Amino acid sequence: MENTRRVGTISRGIRCPIIREGDDLAALVTESVIEAAKSEGFQLRDRDVISITESIVARAQGNYCSVQDIATDVKAKLGGGTVGVIFPILSRNRFAICLRGIAMGCKKVVLMLSYPSDEVGNELVSLDKIDEAGINPYSDVLSLEKYRELFGENKHEFTGVDYVEYYGNLIRECGAEVEIVFANQAKAILDYADHIINCDIHTRARTKKILKAAGAKVVCGLDDLMNAPVNGSGCNEKYGLLGSNKSTEDKVKLFPRECRDLVLDIQARVFKETGKHVEVMVYGDGAFKDPKGKIWELADPVVSPAFTDGLIGTPNELKLKYLADNDFKDLSGEALRAAISESIKQKSDNLVGNMASQGTTPRQLTDLIGSLCDLTSGSGDKGTPVVLVQGYFDNYTN
């Protein structure tokens, strides 16, 4: 055992200067990681992962648009009349600012909210209340009056906001008429409007297909808005307004544009400085669900918009407790350690269907590491927009 390392995976938040538009992010990230290693007395190793939060990438790129830019794009693409806006998430930071732009580009908004909760689990009304009211959320369409009669006012558990009232007022303040309905079938909106913006994130392709098949005249996802510059603004060619955040009351920070060059640049710089081959990725929201609030974290279209090639794929792991309890149940101590080590060394590149790998999560490496990094960096004032993960690819034999 004398050569065995006593520590497995380590995740470290790396402090960086405040990033501004036009900063040389590759140089700053490389320098921050190397300086952190010096000051904390650790060494960089091959296959360490340097992860950069998407917000500083977008900030360095200057990838912003204004509420007015969104309004201009909405008017051009949806005609400026009555527009159905369906399945938005309930979020002041994520969606309210986009809704201001949408409302400014329409005469009337028919806002259709999914219930009992939005796509990422923010609750409008509890399932228990739905059951008590005898409502079938799969088929029943509720007007605002019916919703209030049945369920009254429902403030969000964490934010204290009644999103139904908040979104309605926001649309009116932007000069548009508003009608609010509640339904979970996309085509229900076609009784009210035939120009539709579907605001769902992970189900958007299916929603668009259903609406087009049911006769909608124009269907735009959030990914089809701000997917090209408007009056010299930023944009995101692939995701449009998806993954955006409020920057100021009138400005939206978009998801970072193409950033594969950035991760490759950092990888090359670190190799030049240290001789170590690290992996690099950009990450946004993690992919995990809160069991109490029922909120699924992932409001971005993907966890990682860019990463180096060593992060492609899923883990290929054996479950140590399965081996210990089954194949080697008669062994203990050094003999058990040696037998398990040998199993790991001999494992094949594809363990699908192997009983000894059951219970190991076959998720994308970038989703797993991105979730670890999101939890490490936090969403507030830690000041560590870069995370260094070491030992992630080690196993019991290293």
Side-chain angles (χ1 to χ4, degrees), residues 112 186-196 210-211 214-217:
M112 188 171 99
K187 51 186 184 229
I189 192 66
L190 298 176
D191 290 340
Y192 305 84
D194 57 11
H195 288 59
I196 315 297
I210 288 168
L211 287 169
K217 285 209 176 108

Side-chain angles (χ1 to χ4, degrees), residues 99-224:
L99 183 58
R100 282 187 60 206
I102 291 167
M104 283 161 60
C106 306
K107 205 173 250 126
K108 178 178 178 179
V109 171
V110 183
L111 182 67
M112 188 171 99
L113 301 171
S114 53
Y115 73 99
S117 63
D118 72 6
E119 179 184 3
V120 294
N122 294 294
E123 214 170 64
L124 270 182
V125 53
S126 72
L127 266 175
D128 290 337
K129 282 188 179 176
I130 295 274
D131 292 344
E132 283 161 25
I135 294 293
N136 179 349
Y138 293 104
S139 58
D140 293 351
V141 179
L142 308 177
S143 64
L144 178 59
E145 293 68 33
K146 190 71 183 164
Y147 168 82
R148 289 294 188 208
E149 179 198 318
L150 289 170
F151 307 119
E153 184 188 64
N154 291 279
K155 290 190 169 164
H156 189 282
E157 183 184 2
F158 296 136
T159 63
V161 174
D162 180 330
Y163 277 98
V164 176
E165 181 183 27
Y166 177 61
Y167 280 178
N169 288 343
L170 189 150
I171 293 164
R172 278 187 285 270
E173 281 160 18
C174 293
E177 288 173 62
V178 61
E179 182 173 357
I180 300 178
V181 293
F182 302 81
N184 291 311
Q185 298 287 353
K187 51 186 184 229
I189 192 66
L190 298 176
D191 290 340
Y192 305 84
D194 57 11
H195 288 59
I196 315 297
I197 300 173
N198 66 298
C199 306
D200 45 343
I201 306 159
H202 307 292
T203 50
R204 62 189 183 273
R206 177 173 180 264
T207 301
K208 285 180 202 178
K209 195 170 71 186
I210 288 168
L211 287 169
K212 284 173 183 166
K217 285 209 176 108
V218 180
V219 183
C220 272
L222 286 181
D223 53 333
D224 302 308

